[in-house]
Amino acid sequence: MSKIRVLLVDDHQLLRDGLAAMLSNIEHITVVGSAGSGEEAVNMAQEKVPDVILMDIMMGGMTGIEATRWIKEQNANIKVIIISQEVNQGLIGEGIKSGIEGYLPKDVDKTTLVNAINKVNAGEKFFSESITKIIFDSYYQQETGEQKSKAKNKDLTKREMEVLKEVATGKTNQEVADTLFISIKTVETHKSHILDKLGLKNTAELVKYAIKNEIIEL
Amino acid sequence: MSKIRVLLVDDHQLLRDGLAAMLSNIEHITVVGSAGSGEEAVNMAQEKVPDVILMDIMMGGMTGIEATRWIKEQNANIKVIIISQEVNQGLIGEGIKSGIEGYLPKDVDKTTLVNAINKVNAGEKFFSESITKIIFDSYYQQETGEQKSKAKNKDLTKREMEVLKEVATGKTNQEVADTLFISIKTVETHKSHILDKLGLKNTAELVKYAIKNEIIEL
DNA sequence: TTACATGTAAGGGTTTACCCCTAGCCTACT
DNA sequence: AGTAGGCTAGGGGTAAACCCTTACATGTAA
């Protein structure tokens, strides 16, 4: 029985080294390499041909999702487990579309991690409980015909993007109205549509979204 | 020669386990425990009496800085190395005031980490190059005397920091009140003081401030 | 002991945000 | 001509946020 060949991808070397050291204690797993970026990961996947890749989703440059797409194009047999610091609905959807086999939050324990590697290597999928719930919820939403959420979700109109930008920089509705030369009522309408489309709850989440998606700068 | 007793503090169990596994290969270092929060860290520091603590600065609940203050009050002999995702001027300043012995970015390599533990245990300070530069810059700024605004501005109390953290994550005043088991009126008072002290105008700016200063994560 | 800082909380009022609905106008595409 | 999507904006209501002031208990530093 040959060992499971694992490739680690994370832009934090500390976490990579740690994972490597941790997995070195597991007999049936061998770490064949570690990459510090998505680009490096794509190259190493081709070179080392691992069975399973543990991939961070948030990296400087190419994201884990993008890297996964490239890798899967080259070799669809390589299994990818995404590791993310926060459970994110949008990213999970993206990841699943890219064909990932597993998705784990960064606070998983060692046994769960090893378990996930085993399962995925055996051809199964592995998603933690919280992730599974999100997937089912999302699936349920699609089935109940809330296609708006999917189709319209990330497609903000030009004007909505402008409003989002202004609001996220800290302006009140009235100030946004003055800036864009429209009524406060229009701003409210746009804002309501934005929160609706993005599935956000309030201004605080909106600001975080704007920063995360580089709509505004810090 | 006795081993260096190390305590790990980070709210990501994966990183904790990884660090533990990594350091287990180093002969003269032994990991005596790991804590998932600042509160836990304070207790474990008292219980296990480590030589060196590797402490994440960003955690749910108490920050690494706050935990350090508590620990140092109990036992000033315990050395603390702060590990931070991003290099941040304000936090370094806070950390130094709290008496930390080292400050490392999360992307340090293994040898640097071990080196830092050795140095700090031997009574020296250890700061990476980039950190050193910031310290010198900051020192220079202090000498040039533009510090009044900063001194008053950035001194939020412990409780205010907690409120800030909760608000910035997107909670309403009522939700913050429920979380911290205080009245919504108290939350409003704190929030008003926070906005006043930081010279901010509203929640949006507050969120940006919180992200900029690594009080919350994206 | 006085004085200051901190954390707590309330009253009472003003402002802003959010929600739901309607609806006219324009443009582009079929 | 008809339809759809996007931008505009109002009415009317509820909820939440914000402002200012006061107050009391607890520490701690002057």
Side-chain angles (χ1 to χ4, degrees):
Chain A
M1 168 172 159
S2 60
K3 290 187 175 188
I4 303 175
R5 299 166 56 79
V6 174
L7 175 64
L8 308 176
V9 186
D10 197 308
D11 54 348
H12 299 302
Q13 188 171 357
L14 192 62
L15 197 123
R16 253 160 42 221
D17 286 357
L19 276 169
M22 189 164 88
L23 292 174
S24 72
N25 295 335
I26 313 296
E27 292 142 38
H28 66 285
I29 292 176
T30 178
V31 175
V32 296
S34 70
S37 70
E39 291 80 356
E40 210 182 319
V42 175
N43 292 331
M44 287 196 84
Q46 202 161 22
E47 192 186 314
K48 308 273 187 176
V49 196
D51 299 307
V52 177
I53 299 179
L54 292 178
M55 174 109 62
D56 189 13
I57 203 161
M58 286 289 296
M59 295 182 291
M62 196 186 284
T63 68
I65 303 291
E66 287 159 355
T68 301
R69 289 209 191 96
W70 280 88
I71 290 164
K72 290 273 179 181
E73 259 182 47
Q74 288 171 3
N75 189 340
N77 290 325
I78 298 174
K79 313 291 197 289
V80 176
I81 298 175
I82 292 287
I83 299 178
S84 171
Q85 58 273 42
E86 282 175 26
V87 175
N88 181 295
Q89 203 159 2
L91 286 176
I92 292 169
E94 283 298 301
I96 288 172
K97 274 190 279 185
S98 304
I100 59 166
E101 277 75 21
Y103 193 116
L104 294 169
K106 260 192 181 166
D107 56 354
V108 289
D109 58 296
K110 186 174 169 177
T111 51
T112 307
L113 176 68
V114 173
N115 197 251
I117 293 174
N118 292 339
K119 283 256 171 82
V120 163
N121 183 62
E124 298 177 47
K125 303 278 182 189
F126 190 97
F127 297 95
S128 67
E129 268 184 54
S130 51
I131 306 286
T132 309
K133 189 186 175 306
I134 289 174
I135 293 171
F136 273 95
D137 286 355
S138 173
Y139 184 77
Y140 181 75
Q141 273 191 344
Q142 276 190 329
E143 289 299 296
T144 32
E146 298 281 342
Q147 298 252 336
K148 300 162 202 166
S149 56
K150 194 191 173 188
K152 288 183 180 173
N153 239 353
K154 288 193 172 175
D155 287 340
L156 294 186
T157 66
K158 260 190 291 184
R159 202 55 163 170
E160 283 164 353
M161 279 295 294
E162 290 181 74
V163 172
L164 167 55
K165 204 180 299 179
E166 298 298 330
V167 170
T169 54
K171 288 184 177 159
T172 64
N173 290 352
Q174 187 57 61
E175 286 170 337
V176 174
D178 294 342
T179 305
L180 300 179
F181 301 108
I182 54 179
S183 155
I184 187 173
K185 274 296 185 180
T186 309
V187 174
E188 286 175 5
T189 304
H190 283 312
K191 202 169 165 182
S192 155
H193 289 159
I194 293 166
L195 292 177
D196 203 33
K197 283 184 180 179
L198 300 178
L200 303 176
K201 211 178 59 188
N202 50 39
T203 310
E205 290 188 348
L206 192 144
V207 172
K208 288 201 287 179
Y209 175 89
I211 292 169
K212 210 181 289 182
N213 294 77
E214 294 182 1
I215 292 160
I216 60 165
E217 285 175 7
L218 272 174
Chain B
M1 166 174 159
S2 60
K3 291 188 175 188
I4 302 175
R5 299 166 57 80
V6 174
L7 174 65
L8 308 176
V9 186
D10 196 307
D11 54 348
H12 298 301
Q13 187 171 359
L14 192 62
L15 197 123
R16 256 162 37 222
D17 286 357
L19 276 169
M22 188 165 90
L23 292 174
S24 71
N25 295 334
I26 314 296
E27 292 142 38
H28 65 286
I29 293 176
T30 177
V31 175
V32 296
S34 70
S37 69
E39 291 81 357
E40 210 181 321
V42 175
N43 292 331
M44 287 197 84
Q46 202 162 20
E47 191 185 317
K48 308 274 187 175
V49 196
D51 298 308
V52 177
I53 298 179
L54 291 178
M55 173 109 63
D56 189 13
I57 203 160
M58 282 283 302
M59 293 183 292
M62 197 186 283
T63 68
I65 303 291
E66 288 158 357
T68 301
R69 289 209 191 97
W70 279 88
I71 290 164
K72 291 273 179 182
E73 259 182 45
Q74 288 171 2
N75 188 339
N77 290 326
I78 298 174
K79 312 290 196 290
V80 175
I81 298 176
I82 291 288
I83 299 178
S84 171
Q85 191 102 25
E86 286 172 25
V87 176
N88 180 292
Q89 203 160 1
L91 287 176
I92 293 169
E94 283 298 300
I96 288 172
K97 272 191 281 185
S98 304
I100 59 166
E101 277 75 21
Y103 192 117
L104 294 170
K106 261 194 182 166
D107 57 352
V108 289
D109 59 294
K110 185 173 169 178
T111 50
T112 307
L113 176 68
V114 173
N115 196 252
I117 293 174
N118 291 339
K119 282 254 171 83
V120 163
N121 183 63
E124 298 177 46
K125 304 277 182 190
F126 189 97
F127 297 95
S128 67
E129 266 185 54
S130 51
I131 306 286
T132 309
K133 189 185 175 305
I134 288 174
I135 293 170
F136 274 95
D137 286 355
S138 170
Y139 184 76
Y140 182 76
Q141 272 191 344
Q142 273 193 331
E143 291 299 299
T144 31
E146 290 284 341
Q147 215 65 13
K148 287 169 195 167
S149 55
K150 259 190 181 175
K152 281 184 183 175
N153 267 348
K154 290 196 173 176
D155 280 345
L156 295 186
T157 66
K158 258 195 288 186
R159 202 54 164 171
E160 283 165 352
M161 279 295 293
E162 290 181 73
V163 172
L164 167 55
K165 202 183 299 178
E166 298 298 330
V167 170
T169 55
K171 287 184 179 160
T172 64
N173 290 352
Q174 186 58 60
E175 285 169 338
V176 175
D178 293 342
T179 304
L180 299 180
F181 303 106
I182 54 178
S183 155
I184 189 173
K185 275 295 183 181
T186 309
V187 175
E188 287 175 5
T189 304
H190 283 311
K191 201 168 166 183
S192 154
H193 289 158
I194 293 165
L195 293 177
D196 203 34
K197 282 186 181 177
L198 300 178
L200 303 176
K201 211 177 56 187
N202 50 37
T203 310
E205 290 189 347
L206 191 144
V207 172
K208 288 201 289 177
Y209 175 89
I211 292 169
K212 209 180 293 181
N213 293 279
E214 292 188 16
I215 292 159
I216 61 163
E217 285 176 5
L218 269 175

